[in-house]
């Protein structure tokens, strides 16, 4: 598939750009922690206290969580796919990558700021493992979407008007479906394995 070859091998600048954008989002998200008001910090702390107790007691509806987590990840992949089909959606793909970085940066930054080394340990066990797979999947999906969108611009608005989009579109759909299947597997890990990892450290956070 020529389109996939371009996506994985010839789009290094795009991968670097998306990675840098994500890292900027992580930094921005971490800096946002310092902007929280005292009330917001107390609300988050109260929510986390209840969450830690639930995890420690094993009160997690895994089937319900799996469905919710899977749908969340698939919606993210689906939105990137849809934005890639339209030229005007190109900036939206970049916004999603930046937003994902912000969410991870804020989560890790808050845990570290609130709980110091214990928060870092929790982040390493609860946030890092599945995101080590989610981030590459989102990057591949984003670069594929950007590449397809740029391909449409070249074929429709420049000198390649007669070039067919059938093969690139088929490759784009195939890649997106593959990424969606990977997300289902990652969701399984996040649902059934991550809570077990978190149970190892939640006793450190439970107030006696």
């Amino acid at each position: 598939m020529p389109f996939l070859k371009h996506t994985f091998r010839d789009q290094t600048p795009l991968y670097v750009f998306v990675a840098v954008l994500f890292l900027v989002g992580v930094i921005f998200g971490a800096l946002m922690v310092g902007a929280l008001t005292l009330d917001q910090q107390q609300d988050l702390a109260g929510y986390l206290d209840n969450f830690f107790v639930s995890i420690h007691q094993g009160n997690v509806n895994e089937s319900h969580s799996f469905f919710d987590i899977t749908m969340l990840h698939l919606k993210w992949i689906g939105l990137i796919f849809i934005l890639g089909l339209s030229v005007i959606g190109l900036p939206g793909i970049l916004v999603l990558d930046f937003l994902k970085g912000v969410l991870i940066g804020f989560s890790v930054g808050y845990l570290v700021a609130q709980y110091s080394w214990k928060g870092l340990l929790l982040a390493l066990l609860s946030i890092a493992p599945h995101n080590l797979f989610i981030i590459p999947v989102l990057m591949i999906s984003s670069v594929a979407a950007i590449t397809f969108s740029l391909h449409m611009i070249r074929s429709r608005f420049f000198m390649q008007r007669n070039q067919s989009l059938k093969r690139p579109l088929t490759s784009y759909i195939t890649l997106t479906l593959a990424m969606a299947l990977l997300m289902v597997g990652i969701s399984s890990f996040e649902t059934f394995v991550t809570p077990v990892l978190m149970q190892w450290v939640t006793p450190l956070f439970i107030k006696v």
Side-chain angles (χ1 to χ4, degrees):
M1 294 182 182
F3 181 72
L4 290 181
K5 291 180 181 179
H6 279 295
T7 300
F8 287 109
R9 190 166 57 187
D10 301 331
Q11 301 301 325
T12 300
L14 279 178
Y15 278 107
V16 172
F17 178 75
V18 170
V20 170
L21 184 64
F22 170 79
L23 289 175
V24 171
V26 171
I27 295 172
F28 183 79
L31 293 176
M32 284 178 59
V33 175
L36 291 175
T37 65
L38 181 60
D39 289 339
Q40 290 172 330
Q41 293 179 18
Q42 291 175 342
D43 289 341
L44 282 174
Y47 169 80
L48 287 175
D49 287 341
N50 293 330
F51 179 72
F52 293 146
V53 172
S54 296
I55 290 294
H56 183 63
Q57 295 177 346
N59 296 330
V60 179
N61 188 333
E62 292 180 340
S63 60
H64 181 68
S65 297
F66 174 73
F67 177 80
D68 291 341
I69 292 172
T70 301
M71 289 306 299
L72 176 63
H73 293 325
L74 291 182
K75 286 177 182 178
W76 205 282
I77 292 291
L79 185 54
I80 291 175
F81 173 76
I82 293 172
L83 291 173
L85 292 176
S86 62
V87 176
I88 59 174
L90 188 57
I93 299 170
L94 304 179
V95 170
L96 286 178
D97 292 327
F98 177 79
L99 180 59
K100 184 63 176 179
V102 170
L103 293 174
I104 294 176
F106 180 83
S107 300
V108 175
Y110 178 80
L111 289 175
V112 173
Q114 185 74 16
Y115 302 105
S116 186
W117 67 269
K118 294 188 294 184
L120 178 60
L121 178 60
L122 179 63
L124 290 175
L125 292 177
S126 65
I127 298 176
H130 55 272
N131 276 298
L132 288 176
F133 299 98
I134 290 175
I135 293 170
V137 168
L138 291 180
M139 287 182 61
I140 293 172
S141 299
S142 298
V143 171
I146 294 170
T147 301
F148 182 76
S149 185
L150 293 176
H151 185 85
M152 284 200 304
I153 293 175
R154 289 193 297 267
S155 63
R156 293 292 182 247
F157 299 105
F158 293 101
M159 60 185 66
Q160 305 173 9
R161 289 174 179 261
N162 295 326
Q163 184 174 354
S164 174
L165 287 175
K166 182 178 180 180
R167 182 175 296 178
L169 178 60
T170 301
S171 298
Y172 180 42
I173 293 174
T174 301
L175 178 62
T176 300
L177 290 175
M179 295 301 102
L181 287 176
L182 283 176
M183 278 299 194
V184 174
I186 295 169
S187 299
S188 300
F189 179 90
E190 187 176 353
T191 303
F192 302 106
V193 178
T194 299
V196 175
L197 297 176
M198 293 179 65
Q199 283 182 328
W200 295 350
V201 295
T202 47
L204 298 174
F205 300 87
I206 296 176
K207 298 177 181 179
V208 181

